[in-house]
Amino acid sequence: MTRRALVTGASSGIGEATARALRASGWDVVAVARRADRLEALESETGAVAFAADLTSTADIEALTAWLEETGPLHAFVQVAGGARGTDRVEDGDLEDWQWMFDVNVLSSQRLVAALLPLLRRAATGGGHADTVFVTSTAAQTAYPGGAGYNAAKAAQSMLVHALRLELNGEPIRVVEVAPGMVYTEEFTLNRLRGDRNAAEKVYQDVEAPLTAGDVADVIAYALNAPGHVNLDLITMRPVAQSAQHLLARGPLRPRSAE
């Protein structure tokens, strides 16, 4: 039986790459994002089924859930949608930005879990197991100056994932968290810095081989394609140049001289 996964944030970056990776490994994929035009292009290229929805909208999630129930089983969902806004200090934090980050990272995850768990349970009854995957961030693990709003939102999302895993103990539903460090994508940092392309490029300047969206997607696909009794609770992944959240090498990576 072909398994079906829902992938959010599928119009760009990690979400789009995940939809492509799962299609390449034989999954049926429902690709969800707000931008219908990008989803339609993905659908024509990969065969993933496009569904435009805003995951901060209860009505949109209800419509998505009803459509999924009508069109077949759901074996997995991958929550990639999220994002960061601003680099404010705590004392200067823009409350609208902080609220937005909590909505798109945390509350959208809770809405999806509440809506989709009944479908996953139904699929697990007939297919052995079901899966949830959440893309958080190393920002959930380590704070940094100017990152407090995003740190807080991603830490809250990570705690949601940890609690969900405990609450589903005894059910054949895997709960996987993937926490990437520096990933170079076309939009994440650009959006965070309000379209300032020069500032966004400086974030990655002289960093040898930051992670790509495809790198993260490959890890997600591996977790979903692993045997059903294997749960990869937390996968923290960084480029070699980033040894920790605060320790980033700029310039070529080369062995230290043996002399």
Side-chain angles (χ1 to χ4, degrees):
M1 178 180 63
T2 300
R3 294 172 68 80
R4 183 165 75 149
L6 181 150
V7 178
T8 70
S11 61
S12 66
I14 295 170
E16 178 185 350
T18 299
R20 292 180 184 278
L22 292 179
R23 286 294 297 146
S25 62
W27 286 73
D28 286 341
V29 172
V30 178
V32 176
R34 290 178 293 106
R35 293 177 290 185
D37 57 337
R38 288 194 171 218
L39 292 180
E40 290 167 4
L42 179 67
E43 182 176 72
S44 66
E45 292 175 26
T46 67
V49 178
F51 193 102
D54 179 349
L55 298 181
T56 67
S57 164
T58 299
D60 280 14
I61 288 183
E62 289 175 350
L64 171 63
T65 304
W67 179 84
L68 289 168
E69 289 178 331
E70 294 171 0
T71 55
L74 181 69
H75 302 92
F77 85 82
V78 184
Q79 169 64 328
V80 182
R85 279 187 181 172
T87 56
D88 298 335
R89 293 164 57 92
V90 174
E91 63 186 303
D92 303 317
D94 184 313
L95 295 185
E96 288 187 6
D97 286 348
W98 285 45
Q99 181 67 61
W100 179 86
M101 286 187 279
F102 200 83
D103 284 345
V104 300
N105 292 289
V106 185
L107 296 183
S108 64
S109 296
Q110 188 278 329
R111 290 186 182 98
L112 283 169
V113 169
L116 300 182
L117 261 181
L119 281 66
L120 295 174
R121 287 181 170 126
R122 199 176 308 155
T125 299
H129 74 279
D131 298 295
T132 64
V133 180
F134 300 83
V135 177
T136 61
S137 170
T138 55
Q141 303 169 6
T142 305
Y144 54 91
Y150 187 57
N151 290 142
K154 281 301 186 183
Q157 185 187 28
S158 180
M159 286 298 103
L160 178 154
V161 176
H162 292 187
L164 178 65
R165 188 179 299 112
L166 300 177
E167 292 166 359
L168 295 183
N169 179 252
E171 299 190 57
I173 301 175
R174 300 188 293 189
V175 180
V176 177
E177 178 182 356
V178 179
M182 175 178 274
V183 184
Y184 184 87
T185 62
E186 60 180 310
E187 294 186 328
F188 177 84
T189 301
L190 188 63
N191 288 340
R192 182 175 196 173
L193 299 179
R194 308 185 194 284
D196 187 335
R197 191 167 297 277
N198 288 333
E201 291 297 329
K202 286 181 180 179
V203 172
Y204 305 97
Q205 186 174 350
D206 297 327
V207 177
E208 184 173 320
L211 297 178
T212 68
D215 294 330
V216 182
D218 286 345
V219 168
I220 293 169
Y222 178 87
L224 287 174
N225 289 322
H229 68 284
V230 177
N231 193 94
L232 301 180
D233 284 21
L234 170 61
I235 306 160
T236 299
M237 55 185 300
R238 295 185 178 93
V240 173
Q242 187 183 35
S243 299
Q245 194 76 6
H246 65 285
L247 187 57
L248 182 66
R250 295 187 187 273
L253 299 177
R254 53 171 64 98
R256 182 175 297 174
S257 173
E259 298 178 0

